[in-house]
Amino acid sequence: MALWPTGAVQHSNKNISSQMRYASLPREIVCTENLTPWKKLLPCESSCGFSALLNSRMIHNTNYHSIGVNFRKVCANKDCSEIKFEIKQTVALVYDYKIIGSIDWSFKKLFGQGLPGACPLASSSKVYVDTTTNDTQPFKLVPPPDSMILSQRGGSDTNIAVYNIKANRQMINIGAKNEVTNKLTVTVPPPLHFNRYVLGYGKEFGGIVTELTNNFWTPINVVLMENAPWWLPIQLSSLRINGEAESDLVISQFYSPGRSRQKPYHLELLLKLPPRSTTTITIDFEFVFLKWQEYPPDANHGFYIGSALISANLPTARNYTSLPITGSTFSSVFNASKPWYPAVLRTNGAMVSLPTPDFSMPYNVICLACTVVALAFGPLHNICTKELVLKPNGKPLSFTQKILNLFKKKKD
Amino acid sequence: MGTESNRMWASAAFVGVLIVIGMPLWWKTTEVYRVSLPYDKISSFNTEAHYVTTQLNVLANDERTASEIIGLIEKTFEDADIIKLKIKKIILSEELQSKLETAASEHRSVEELANAFDLEQHNTFYVVQKKSLLQDVWLANERVMFYSDDKSSSIVVEVLKQWIYQTSVLLGARSEKADAARQTRFPPSNGYHVVLSIVQPRPDAIRVDFPTKEAVEDYIGTFVDELSVLHNFTLKSQWLYLLDFDFQATEVKDKTEWGRHYAVAQDRLSLLLTKLEERAATQVSELSTINLALYATPCEKAPLAIYDSSDRMISAPVPAFMSPKWGGVVLGSPSAADCNDEVPTWQPNIRTIMGAFISHLRKLIGIVDNEYIDGAFLEPLKSVVPRKWEIDNLLRIRTLEQLTSAERTLQSLAQLLGEISNIVINDEVGALINSAVENIRVASHLLGEGKLLEAYETSLIAFLAAESAFMEPSLLSLLYFPDDQKYAIYIPLFLPIMFPVVLSLKHLILWMRGKPIHKEKTE
């Protein structure tokens, strides 16, 4: 329910979600080694064009960064008899004013350098700047934009400044200068936000809590997809929504139990989030003992749980910049009003600490057991093989007495 | 004395359990797992003993010429231990003789001959008399060679030795040290990945119209199709834009339409390969990759010409160079007219460029170009496909190379196993080694019998099995579990227990010999 094909897929009665494959590597983080192959997919690589801005020293200095590659089939002509492939590469960076040092920003401040013109192979290269807050907190764009666009989408108006970047290898440094520098506008929070954490103590049972907050004034339908690896068995019987086992909020649910070392656990819930409320979803899991070779290096660090996937149909397009499903470029966003706006969101991940054995224990046990055996063995061996013989009293002289006798003889 | 024997039996029991059963059990259980291997067979490999048997049919108009030619050939190849000729004497029928003589061209004669004999057979070659030849010896692209009469027999022998059988290259394939041909061609493999990259450093300045797909299919595809008995090929093409490379070329004035050319020093070219390697993403295939790159020189640096180390221009239809075991690069330059257009567009000459790539590819695959022999004429290549006898020779070279390479791999593996005791040989690796040994035996036998295709396939299996056995990661699974750790675990048990047991041995031996243990105390 949570994920569906977005490209041109042949319509058939087959259950398409049964062909879905989902994988996540929660321990892996995006870093330079992912950025370089990502850039290599572009025809101009990082020699010119927008990817020249992605200087790994600067972009890993942000509050949030993500890179993405989306691949889908799209129709090549009107009646969709031919299909072509679309590859979409995305970067999202969230900067902190504290890191930049001021509320004025520019390409130089954000990326460490200007933009060296567009990629000569690009058919269109554009920079869009959202200038909606210009009314409340005036700022000036330097250099001035080539054109302005007013986009009305889902009842919210957005002013957008457009720069056409030409492939002339001239450095461009777009920036904003605020007139008032000691005030900040507070951004309106998005209609949905989430939080997730791990419950429990001891090494027997634990729980994952996912909190979904709906700030909007109408109910929002969301699908929550939880995918737990086999070593984190989540039990459907322990599912509680706002503390209740049977909740009216659940419209539909799907659960596929996992199998040890073979299949992960999969839970999907279609929920109707009531307006201006927080819904808490709790599900318990049992701690599992792994085989000693299944532990990763540094097992005491803990095990990462992947994020839950939440797909929502938002009723409002405020702060929503995702492309409509038919669009390929950012310009398809303008005035693209729809009854609802699909969004796939990911919660934060979490970490559990599975019972981890002391890996040096076998050696310690061997040493200890061997010592005990050796201690017991000595007397046992002596009893079995040695004979206690009574010595005639006083007859044989001891070594000291012999020496004493020697001295006595000398004295004589 | 009853208690005395009881004690001794107890002592003997301790010795029995600990030393006779315990020690071997401990030794056995901590042993590194190794499947038994045919070490004797591996050590008895003799790489110099392999030879190829090949069929040679000598066709002559009369008995005397045939015997003379055969006699000379036999004498020449007598002492060649790498190739054994099975010579068959055939006297041409009157009808075929007249057909061959009256044929309009040598090419027609080959067709006439193909009607009478099966020229498609691998490892079979025909030496045919044709009196009306202009040259002494005429070598076709098929498995046929014409000679005029018995006076040209010395040239026939020379051509057989240097062109058809290339005995020096065959020896190089078998020998321990790689010869020039082996240093150039790719190591044996069951397949190659051929990538044609069009490098365009300035896509904003000039458009390059190059039908990559057609060029790859028409030229490289046709070429490798003929080699399908040898290897599988996967073909790919790609465009690389904005590759920034400075040739450090110096401008030289000349009398062409440009009025100049840029001289590139030969030593500078290898640096281009590094740049290409960075971008070409050749690691996508697990097969070894043959790189072919067309560098589209930007107008401001065109045309490029390669200068050798003594600063002389190397003249060629198109400046190109080849890197052994890597691939080939062609430096294409647009013409002055192309660059002066309103929208500069360059349409490369596909024939010359792909021709250069094919000549690179021939060397990289292992086809050795022939040196000139006085009096002998080699039919020039009319298309990209290799000559039939070149394929046969390639089969011979590769079979020998794979056989000797597999044998050397197994021998070094056996040597390593002797030197490093921690290498594990599990059942899979054991099976691979055994199959390699068996296939080497079979392939060597087939090669001696002259069944070239079967020998090639078997030797390839042997080569791949030996390589994968040598590279198997499971060999190293216990490399970091040295012997002292084995002792460290058991010493706490064995050391304290062994002391009393070993000390009691003396008493036990004395008792067994029937000697009194305690000296009778007399007093």
Side-chain angles (χ1 to χ4, degrees):
Chain A
M1 291 188 285
L3 295 168
W4 64 95
T6 49
V9 181
Q10 288 249 304
H11 181 76
S12 66
N13 292 329
K14 257 198 263 168
N15 183 6
I16 228 143
S17 62
S18 72
Q19 296 170 10
M20 188 184 85
R21 301 288 178 270
Y22 177 81
S24 65
L25 291 170
R27 196 175 182 163
E28 297 297 315
I29 51 161
V30 174
C31 64
T32 322
E33 65 174 9
N34 309 106
L35 188 67
T36 314
W38 185 93
K39 280 190 202 167
K40 277 199 170 192
L41 290 173
L42 296 163
C44 286
E45 285 200 19
S46 49
S47 48
C48 53
F50 291 122
S51 54
L53 292 175
L54 300 177
N55 166 346
S56 63
R57 188 174 56 89
M58 301 300 285
I59 74 158
H60 294 131
N61 205 7
T62 50
N63 257 8
Y64 170 85
H65 65 269
S66 86
I67 56 176
V69 178
N70 296 281
F71 190 76
R72 66 172 183 176
K73 292 176 188 169
V74 290
C75 295
N77 50 11
K78 270 263 166 61
D79 57 349
C80 217
S81 55
E82 269 180 71
I83 278 170
K84 58 185 178 182
F85 293 104
E86 178 196 87
I87 179 165
K88 185 165 77 183
Q89 293 184 246
T90 57
V91 200
L93 305 170
V94 178
Y95 282 88
D96 192 334
Y97 287 133
K98 257 288 184 263
I99 293 173
I100 310 171
S102 75
I103 62 167
D104 294 335
W105 57 266
S106 72
F107 277 4
K108 272 226 171 81
K109 273 184 188 152
L110 300 181
F111 304 109
Q113 65 171 69
L115 175 63
C119 173
L121 299 159
S123 52
S124 148
S125 278
K126 281 177 184 162
V127 177
Y128 297 97
V129 184
D130 187 341
T131 57
T132 317
T133 55
N134 211 351
D135 306 333
T136 44
Q137 175 149 15
F139 62 86
K140 220 175 110 192
L141 284 174
V142 189
D146 298 330
S147 61
M148 293 292 293
I149 291 177
L150 173 68
S151 165
Q152 288 177 316
R153 192 187 193 193
S156 63
D157 295 357
T158 317
N159 287 309
I160 287 172
V162 186
Y163 292 89
N164 266 317
I165 311 294
K166 288 179 200 73
N168 50 8
R169 301 207 176 206
Q170 264 180 11
M171 276 290 176
I172 303 158
N173 182 23
I174 298 171
K177 267 200 138 28
N178 281 279
E179 281 163 25
V180 189
T181 50
N182 54 359
K183 269 196 261 172
L184 276 179
T185 45
V186 179
T187 42
V188 183
L192 273 178
H193 61 86
F194 322 101
N195 190 19
R196 140 181 273 223
Y197 48 89
V198 172
L199 281 184
Y201 55 87
K203 294 286 181 198
E204 203 179 353
F205 296 106
I208 311 170
V209 182
T210 313
E211 287 177 354
L212 300 98
T213 307
N214 177 7
N215 288 327
F216 204 59
W217 52 271
T218 59
I220 299 178
N221 286 352
V222 298
V223 180
L224 173 83
M225 188 177 97
E226 189 79 65
N227 202 288
W230 64 262
W231 43 262
L232 198 82
I234 50 171
Q235 309 295 348
L236 187 63
S237 58
S238 65
L239 178 71
R240 299 283 181 276
I241 289 149
N242 288 334
E244 297 165 29
E246 297 286 326
S247 172
D248 306 337
L249 302 179
V250 180
I251 302 169
S252 167
Q253 74 176 27
F254 170 81
Y255 176 72
S256 144
R259 227 175 293 132
S260 181
R261 293 178 179 83
Q262 285 172 15
K263 200 180 143 196
Y265 292 79
H266 184 143
L267 171 71
E268 285 192 53
L269 293 173
L270 173 55
L271 298 167
K272 192 187 195 81
L273 301 181
R276 297 190 194 284
S277 69
T278 299
T279 310
T280 312
I281 297 160
T282 317
I283 191 155
D284 289 351
F285 61 85
E286 221 176 302
F287 284 105
V288 168
F289 278 106
L290 302 182
K291 290 180 183 164
W292 71 281
Q293 280 179 320
E294 285 166 351
Y295 284 95
D298 191 14
N300 287 306
H301 179 76
F303 289 73
Y304 289 86
I305 312 174
S307 50
L309 202 84
I310 290 161
S311 73
N313 283 338
L314 300 178
T316 169
R318 175 179 290 162
N319 288 344
Y320 180 84
T321 52
S322 285
L323 309 190
I325 200 159
T326 48
S328 294
T329 56
F330 193 76
S331 53
S332 59
V333 163
F334 306 131
N335 301 322
S337 279
K338 290 272 155 61
W340 40 263
Y341 303 91
V344 176
L345 307 138
R346 282 170 177 83
T347 63
N348 53 324
M351 206 167 170
V352 292
S353 154
L354 292 189
T356 310
D358 170 12
F359 289 104
S360 71
M361 190 187 70
Y363 182 69
N364 299 342
V365 168
I366 287 173
C367 283
L368 193 69
C370 289
T371 314
V372 170
V373 167
L375 283 176
F377 181 81
L380 197 72
H381 186 261
N382 272 344
I383 290 166
C384 293
T385 60
K386 296 268 162 68
E387 187 190 9
L388 280 174
V389 184
L390 280 177
K391 276 186 206 166
N393 200 6
K395 264 281 162 92
L397 290 172
S398 70
F399 185 64
T400 46
Q401 275 174 322
K402 277 180 185 167
I403 293 169
L404 281 175
N405 284 349
L406 269 176
F407 282 110
K408 275 179 190 169
K409 274 178 194 166
K410 274 189 181 171
K411 273 183 187 172
D412 290 340
Chain B
M1 283 312 271
T3 50
E4 171 80 18
S5 65
N6 275 353
R7 273 186 274 115
M8 284 305 133
W9 278 117
S11 186
F14 278 118
V15 171
V17 170
L18 281 167
I19 298 181
V20 180
I21 303 174
M23 290 278 266
L25 196 72
W26 164 61
W27 198 254
K28 191 79 198 154
T29 49
T30 54
E31 208 176 36
V32 175
Y33 184 74
R34 259 186 206 183
V35 180
S36 71
L37 295 177
Y39 287 110
D40 50 331
K41 280 187 194 162
I42 293 175
S43 60
S44 68
F45 282 150
N46 180 10
T47 50
E48 300 296 312
H50 300 299
Y51 65 92
V52 193
T53 305
T54 179
Q55 176 78 38
L56 179 71
N57 294 340
V58 178
L59 285 74
N61 292 354
D62 52 81
E63 179 73 33
R64 198 187 53 81
T65 320
S67 314
E68 193 164 319
I69 296 259
I70 290 172
L72 194 63
I73 294 172
E74 271 174 349
K75 204 170 148 247
T76 318
F77 284 90
E78 210 171 38
D79 49 346
D81 66 332
I82 194 130
I83 192 150
K84 295 253 182 317
L85 298 182
K86 246 199 277 178
I87 303 177
K88 196 174 158 197
K89 181 161 63 174
I90 301 170
I91 307 298
L92 285 167
S93 62
E94 292 284 331
E95 186 198 351
L96 193 59
Q97 258 187 52
S98 64
K99 267 188 188 167
L100 286 179
E101 297 298 341
T102 54
S105 66
E106 278 82 5
H107 203 72
R108 289 281 312 152
S109 310
V110 173
E111 279 171 26
E112 289 295 341
L113 204 66
N115 292 335
F117 297 97
D118 179 20
L119 298 183
E120 289 302 308
Q121 191 117 19
H122 283 284
N123 208 19
T124 308
F125 193 78
Y126 290 83
V127 178
V128 187
Q129 185 169 20
K130 178 176 152 91
K131 284 204 163 147
S132 59
L133 267 187
L134 292 174
Q135 301 86 6
D136 287 332
V137 164
W138 190 90
L139 180 56
N141 291 341
E142 301 287 325
R143 299 177 176 90
V144 176
M145 175 166 75
F146 291 117
Y147 64 97
S148 52
D149 47 32
D150 53 354
K151 286 191 203 74
S152 50
S153 57
S154 62
I155 300 173
V156 169
V157 167
E158 207 50 36
V159 169
L160 280 178
K161 199 171 169 181
Q162 287 191 22
W163 289 0
I164 309 293
Y165 297 128
Q166 297 182 334
T167 42
S168 64
V169 183
L170 283 179
L171 277 171
R174 199 180 67 175
S175 69
E176 190 148 9
K177 256 185 85 186
D179 63 338
R182 199 159 101 199
Q183 281 164 4
T184 310
R185 66 172 176 255
F186 271 78
S189 160
N190 59 335
Y192 297 105
H193 182 64
V194 185
V195 183
L196 173 65
S197 313
I198 316 293
V199 183
Q200 207 194 351
R202 292 290 307 275
D204 46 339
I206 185 165
R207 243 173 59 112
V208 176
D209 265 348
F210 192 79
T212 343
K213 195 182 165 196
E214 286 76 18
V216 167
E217 273 174 11
D218 293 353
Y219 288 84
I220 300 171
T222 322
F223 175 72
V224 300
D225 276 352
E226 293 293 313
L227 296 173
S228 57
V229 288
L230 281 143
H231 317 281
N232 297 324
F233 288 91
T234 51
L235 307 180
K236 274 212 180 106
S237 64
Q238 63 178 356
W239 288 76
L240 299 178
Y241 294 105
L242 296 160
L243 184 107
D244 190 27
F245 180 71
D246 182 13
F247 280 101
Q248 293 184 349
T250 45
E251 193 176 342
V252 180
K253 297 275 177 234
D254 62 14
K255 289 187 184 102
T256 56
E257 51 172 337
W258 281 99
R260 58 143 201 238
H261 66 260
Y262 283 92
V264 184
Q266 212 175 10
D267 336 332
R268 189 80 198 143
L269 296 173
S270 54
L271 300 173
L272 177 66
L273 301 184
T274 324
K275 263 292 190 213
L276 283 171
E277 189 78 341
E278 224 172 74
R279 290 280 298 268
T282 49
Q283 64 277 12
V284 293
S285 171
E286 57 182 18
L287 299 171
S288 31
T289 305
I290 304 180
N291 298 282
L292 302 172
L294 167 64
Y295 185 87
T297 317
C299 285
E300 69 267 18
K301 283 283 173 198
L304 287 177
I306 301 175
Y307 275 61
D308 64 7
S309 47
S310 52
D311 219 21
R312 269 194 307 264
M313 187 167 150
I314 298 170
S315 67
V318 54
F321 65 98
M322 187 189 73
S323 172
K325 296 186 186 180
W326 187 86
V329 179
V330 171
L331 305 174
S333 302
S335 69
D338 292 337
C339 287
N340 294 334
D341 278 353
E342 203 164 313
V343 184
T345 307
W346 177 44
Q347 281 181 320
N349 184 342
I350 301 171
R351 246 184 102 83
T352 24
I353 287 167
M354 294 315 286
F357 280 137
I358 292 292
S359 78
H360 290 159
L361 210 50
R362 280 168 62 92
K363 287 199 193 89
L364 293 166
I365 292 291
I367 300 173
V368 183
D369 280 348
N370 303 305
E371 279 170 34
Y372 174 73
I373 297 174
D374 195 31
F377 179 78
L378 177 64
E379 186 187 358
L381 278 176
K382 290 204 177 58
S383 69
V384 295
V385 295
R387 299 179 176 99
K388 287 282 178 356
W389 47 267
E390 282 175 339
I391 296 174
D392 281 359
N393 203 29
L394 212 49
L395 279 169
R396 284 190 276 267
I397 293 170
R398 286 299 192 189
T399 311
L400 280 173
E401 194 177 0
Q402 284 161 2
L403 270 179
T404 51
S405 167
E407 286 185 349
R408 291 210 177 90
T409 310
L410 290 179
Q411 273 172 347
S412 21
L413 181 62
Q415 196 191 342
L416 265 182
L417 290 177
E419 281 170 13
I420 304 168
S421 58
N422 285 329
I423 297 181
V424 186
I425 299 287
N426 59 22
D427 294 342
E428 280 168 39
V429 178
L432 279 175
I433 294 173
N434 279 319
S435 102
V437 169
E438 177 58 19
N439 280 314
I440 287 172
R441 193 187 60 76
V442 175
S444 179
H445 182 70
L446 287 169
L447 198 61
E449 278 191 354
K451 291 176 180 157
L452 193 55
L453 268 185
E454 291 92 329
Y456 173 78
E457 274 153 26
T458 331
S459 70
L460 181 62
I461 297 170
F463 171 76
L464 294 176
E467 285 294 308
S468 50
F470 193 77
M471 296 296 172
E472 176 71 36
S474 75
L475 296 184
L476 304 179
S477 59
L478 278 185
L479 198 62
Y480 297 104
F481 186 72
D483 278 340
D484 41 343
Q485 293 194 11
K486 181 157 116 186
Y487 297 119
I489 290 179
Y490 290 95
I491 284 293
L493 176 69
F494 278 98
L495 205 63
I497 285 179
M498 280 300 162
F499 266 118
V501 174
V502 170
L503 288 177
S504 73
L505 269 177
K506 183 192 154 197
H507 284 246
L508 195 65
I509 292 164
L510 284 176
W511 178 74
M512 280 194 182
R513 286 182 183 166
K515 284 183 184 167
I517 299 157
H518 302 288
K519 280 176 188 164
E520 289 296 325
K521 311 265 181 343
T522 49
E523 190 103 2

